[in-house]
Amino acid sequence: MQIRPYGDTANDGVVQLSFTLPLPLGSRAHEAARRYAMLMGISNPYVAHAESVDTSFSFFVIYGTCSYTLDPEQILVDELAHAELDFYAINDLIEKELGRRVTVIGAAIESDAHTVGIDAIFNAKGFAGNYGLERFPAFRALNLGAQISCEALLRRASAEQAEAILVSQVVTQKNVHIHNLTKLIELAEAEGVRDRYLMIVGGPRISHVFAKELGYDAGFGPGSTAITVASYIAQELVSRKG
Ligand code: B12
């Protein structure tokens, strides 16, 4: 089965995309945006919105038709296979199967100062109708905050006898997240402690497949909630015990 995006009618290939060009807003910038969209394989591009970002930059929203098709059956994905449990089932599973509180430690590492994502997963009050990890009796949840160096995070994880390390990376400019995430894994390997922890990463540009590529056990992207992460940690620790 070949698919294309859906705009006005099924499989018409109609898409909307946005980008910024280093040109002042005007007729030349409009035409440059249209031509650039054509170079990207968009036919009949229409500038639906144009706005000046600064004296020498313009932002465009383009509407047009894309002819490429793909067969979704040919795509193999590495998805987390764990069931989503509820708050009570997670606490029960840990209590019955592990018989101890599980210490989890989290931080936004290195230069990243964004705390809202890691807080959404940790804070007792939670996010999107789910309690955060701090609210689960089965977890001892330590949120170190932002701009924590990889060295400091590993030191604290060891001192607290953590079983899972949860890292947040929001800034992806110039692939800084890849550099930071790789550094943490390499440091853990160099210290011989990589297998001591479930290593988990989350952020707006993170997927499970990408996290695995970087050497993590699991990755969580936009819209993640504590319940999904807690379900994974509980079931994964139980299966590793087995
Ligand atoms: C608030 C904010 C800030 C605040 C942060 C305050 C704070 N205490 O967090 C301040 C003003 C400090 C800031 C600074 C900067 N920011 Co800023 N910021 C934002 C903003 C508006 C919201 C981010 C946010 O809070 N999202 C809400 C949370 C809930 O979503 P989330 O982080 O995606 O988290 C969810 C998932 O990703 C996942 N998740 C996240 N972490 C984790 C971790 C684990 C373990 C798990 C399981 C899941 C998980 O679960 C969360 C809940 O679902 C975004 C734009 C936007 N609208 O997203 C820009 C944005 C992230 N910032 C950006 C930039 C560029 C910067 C600066 C570099 C700007 C500058 N030139 O100074 C600096 C960097 C500072 C630094 N050293 O990191 C860019 C990043 C672009 C990129 N691709 O890299 C964005 C996208 C804005 C943009 N469009 O340009 N920023």
Side-chain angles (χ1 to χ4, degrees):
M1 180 190 52
Q2 295 288 328
I3 58 161
R4 290 207 296 171
Y6 182 118
D8 299 323
T9 54
N11 266 349
D12 61 9
V14 171
V15 294
Q16 181 175 297
L17 69 144
S18 60
F19 52 82
T20 301
L21 289 180
L23 291 171
L25 188 61
S27 309
R28 187 191 299 271
H30 262 75
E31 186 54 18
R34 249 178 40 77
R35 291 193 189 189
Y36 205 84
M38 285 195 272
L39 290 172
M40 288 192 273
I42 307 294
S43 58
N44 302 318
Y46 162 69
V47 178
H49 180 72
E51 193 176 312
S52 178
V53 177
D54 199 342
T55 47
S56 46
F57 290 89
S58 310
F59 173 74
F60 295 94
V61 177
I62 305 280
Y63 198 65
T65 306
C66 191
S67 59
Y68 301 116
T69 61
L70 71 75
D71 180 358
E73 306 294 330
Q74 301 302 317
I75 300 173
L76 298 176
V77 285
D78 185 3
E79 283 176 309
L80 276 173
H82 299 76
E84 186 157 311
L85 308 176
D86 68 20
F87 178 80
Y88 301 99
I90 292 167
N91 288 312
D92 281 353
L93 181 69
I94 293 178
E95 192 185 325
K96 289 199 183 97
E97 297 293 332
L98 300 178
R100 60 174 185 270
R101 279 183 94 200
V102 169
T103 298
V104 295
I105 193 162
I109 55 168
E110 298 291 319
S111 52
D112 206 317
H114 295 84
T115 51
V116 185
I118 192 78
D119 286 352
I121 305 299
F122 272 75
N123 273 359
K125 67 180 186 318
F127 171 74
N130 290 277
Y131 293 143
L133 299 177
E134 290 167 357
R135 185 75 165 251
F136 288 69
F139 290 116
R140 183 171 158 257
L142 307 171
N143 180 358
L144 304 188
Q147 295 196 320
I148 304 297
S149 71
C150 295
E151 291 84 354
L153 178 57
L154 286 181
R155 253 195 325 271
R156 188 75 188 273
S158 169
E160 302 287 354
Q161 297 189 305
E163 296 185 57
I165 295 181
L166 286 81
V167 177
S168 181
Q169 283 291 270
V170 174
V171 177
T172 58
Q173 279 176 333
K174 298 190 193 298
N175 285 334
V176 65
H177 61 312
I178 299 181
H179 174 76
N180 293 342
L181 292 170
T182 308
K183 178 180 169 189
L184 182 65
I185 292 291
E186 285 176 353
L187 204 60
E189 281 169 352
E191 293 180 7
V193 297
R194 167 64 188 90
D195 293 336
R196 195 187 286 178
Y197 308 110
L198 272 185
M199 303 281 277
I200 298 168
V201 54
R205 302 280 173 88
I206 304 294
S207 67
H208 181 56
V209 176
F210 179 59
K212 298 277 283 192
E213 279 170 20
L214 296 180
Y216 286 74
D217 295 300
F220 293 86
S224 300
T225 58
I227 209 86
T228 319
V229 184
S231 296
Y232 165 73
I233 295 172
Q235 292 171 79
E236 186 61 24
L237 288 178
V238 168
S239 82
R240 288 186 182 203
K241 169 196 160 206

